Amino acid sequence: MENLKISVIIPVYNTLNCLERCVDSVCGQTYENLEIILVDDGSTDGTGQLCDTLAKRDSRIRVYHKENGGASSARNMGLQKSSGDYVGFVDSDDYIDADVYQKMAELAVEKNYPVVQISRDERDENGNRLADVCIPPERVRFCDSETFIKELLLHRGDCSFCTKLLKKELFAQHCFPEGELNEDFKLLIELLMQIEGIAILPKQGYHVVCRSDSTTRKRSEDSFSRVFLDIVENADRMQELVDSAYPALHEYAIRFNLYQRLDYMLHIPLSQMKKENAFYQSVKKYLRVHIGDTIRNSWLTRKNKAYLLLLTAAPKTVRRVHGWKMRIGK
């Protein structure tokens, strides 16, 4: 297995305070046959210079600087520059346990799996554990593609590429979609269509750090992240995929579509809930057309159904009340 080369791609953008911890956790892997690719995506806070400094400490590190284009474009550059048999991804504000790539590589080689996933946990900036978003299995589990998609539709699966080790050849005809914030989801579904499934390790060896200053978390009262549009568009793609390739998952796809639109409706600013907003109007129309599905779908909670029905009937009023509740809760 020592001949197996792993390329670890780390997109970097303005993470001066946490990049060193991330890179140190990768350099300290018990599996040493790595190439570590740092792609500086136009950082403006000195992070680019830190990348160059870190590269002097370990000959396995290679640094590429580019104009800002987003995480997907940085990952795509990393893939183009990589020479490993397998590739992994780490976000520059996260970190990993020392045996992550050892354990994933061992399982990948032993069973010839094209994709192996390590389980993850989430931490705040002080290192405190947060509630698990994805519940890890009790033992190594092979999840076939249809079952993995079902778990994603129920918001129980992990669509992140950061927790996965993948054969480089899978990317021969695929790349990360640029200009989207929900970039992992679309590509993962494409890859699932061409493999039998994903092997999942129970160990929570990847640590997601939830930063309060993250660009995807900062928003003013009237700002609205592109991610909430992307999740709706991904839901529509999933519906088409399920109906054509996995018809047994139809009810789960409807649930996913309704849930994603609920998330959109609970985040869109009141100032953008207008007649001339075509995307907003299309979401409202979908909710009206699918009132029956909202009522009948057994995979939606009572709270989900109540919010969906109320938002269908009186979206602005519900949003005002929801906003008051959120402010009081703070």
Side-chain angles (χ1 to χ4, degrees):
M1 193 181 77
E2 62 275 6
N3 294 323
L4 182 78
K5 185 177 183 181
I6 298 175
S7 300
V8 183
I9 299 168
I10 307 176
V12 178
Y13 179 72
N14 287 359
T15 49
L16 187 63
N17 295 328
C18 47
L19 177 62
E20 189 167 4
R21 176 185 60 188
C22 170
V23 173
D24 284 347
S25 74
V26 178
C27 291
Q29 291 295 294
T30 56
Y31 190 84
E32 297 181 347
N33 191 9
L34 307 175
E35 68 170 354
I36 303 165
I37 300 175
L38 304 183
V39 183
D40 170 34
D41 190 38
S43 295
T44 58
D45 66 344
T47 301
Q49 292 88 331
L50 177 58
C51 289
D52 296 329
T53 299
L54 294 173
K56 295 176 182 177
R57 300 182 188 174
D58 194 313
S59 61
R60 296 173 298 174
I61 298 176
R62 291 191 286 137
V63 179
Y64 297 93
H65 300 278
K66 61 183 288 295
E67 292 184 2
N68 181 253
S72 287
S73 68
R75 284 177 170 181
N76 288 335
M77 174 178 275
L79 285 169
Q80 293 169 5
K81 303 295 184 180
S82 65
S83 60
D85 305 292
Y86 278 77
V87 295
F89 301 88
V90 180
D91 283 345
S92 60
D93 43 6
D94 299 336
Y95 61 98
I96 57 178
D97 287 350
D99 60 351
V100 162
Y101 285 112
Q102 181 81 40
K103 288 185 175 296
M104 288 200 288
E106 287 175 348
L107 185 57
V109 170
E110 178 186 356
K111 301 291 187 179
N112 195 30
Y113 288 138
V115 182
V116 174
Q117 175 179 295
I118 197 85
S119 294
R120 76 184 197 198
D121 62 25
E122 297 203 355
R123 314 261 175 143
D124 65 19
E125 292 171 296
N126 297 317
N128 300 311
R129 280 282 302 270
L130 304 175
D132 286 332
V133 174
C134 303
I135 305 300
E138 294 182 358
R139 58 186 64 86
V140 175
R141 174 193 180 197
F142 180 78
C143 192
D144 65 81
S145 291
E146 182 169 353
T147 301
F148 200 94
I149 289 173
K150 175 183 172 181
E151 292 298 296
L152 292 177
L153 293 173
L154 291 172
H155 289 90
R156 298 192 305 218
D158 182 0
C159 69
S160 172
F161 275 80
C162 289
T163 53
K164 296 171 179 61
L165 182 67
L166 310 98
K167 279 189 175 180
K168 170 71 179 298
E169 64 191 41
L170 291 175
F171 295 93
Q173 298 180 354
H174 298 278
C175 63
F176 288 92
E178 300 186 17
E180 297 186 21
L181 293 179
N182 199 216
E183 66 273 11
D184 286 4
F185 194 91
K186 180 178 181 292
L187 178 56
L188 181 61
I189 298 304
E190 291 177 359
L191 297 185
L192 283 167
M193 295 289 289
Q194 68 182 60
I195 62 176
E196 292 184 4
I198 295 176
I200 306 173
L201 287 159
K203 175 181 170 60
Q204 290 180 288
Y206 189 98
H207 308 295
V208 178
V209 178
C210 301
R211 294 192 299 137
S212 59
D213 63 340
S214 170
T215 55
T216 59
R217 295 172 188 270
K218 289 190 295 185
R219 57 191 297 264
S220 65
E221 184 176 334
D222 290 320
S223 66
F224 190 38
S225 172
R226 166 76 208 186
V227 71
F228 293 107
L229 282 69
D230 291 342
I231 63 174
V232 172
E233 292 175 349
N234 280 331
D236 289 336
R237 293 184 189 125
M238 283 294 286
Q239 191 73 60
E240 293 176 6
L241 167 68
V242 164
D243 289 343
S244 63
Y246 304 104
L249 300 180
H250 176 77
E251 184 180 3
Y252 300 97
I254 291 291
R255 179 262 177 204
F256 186 73
N257 238 312
L258 288 166
Y259 190 97
Q260 299 299 77
R261 282 168 166 79
L262 172 60
D263 203 13
Y264 170 93
M265 291 293 280
L266 288 177
H267 286 87
I268 182 174
L270 282 166
S271 61
Q272 296 187 32
M273 300 173 77
K274 298 178 179 180
K275 290 183 178 179
E276 55 268 28
N277 186 334
F279 198 97
Y280 165 67
Q281 293 299 327
S282 71
V283 171
K284 284 206 313 180
K285 181 179 179 180
Y286 185 96
L287 295 182
R288 288 196 300 269
V289 170
H290 290 273
I291 287 177
D293 289 313
T294 298
I295 295 170
R296 293 188 299 268
N297 195 286
S298 58
W299 297 102
L300 288 168
T301 66
R302 289 183 179 180
K303 185 177 181 180
N304 294 158
K305 293 181 179 184
Y307 262 110
L308 281 164
L309 292 173
L310 288 169
L311 284 164
T312 303
K316 289 186 179 181
T317 300
V318 173
R319 276 304 313 282
R320 290 191 183 97
V321 173
H322 179 71
W324 294 335
K325 288 175 63 178
M326 293 298 289
R327 284 192 287 272
I328 292 173
K330 291 180 181 180

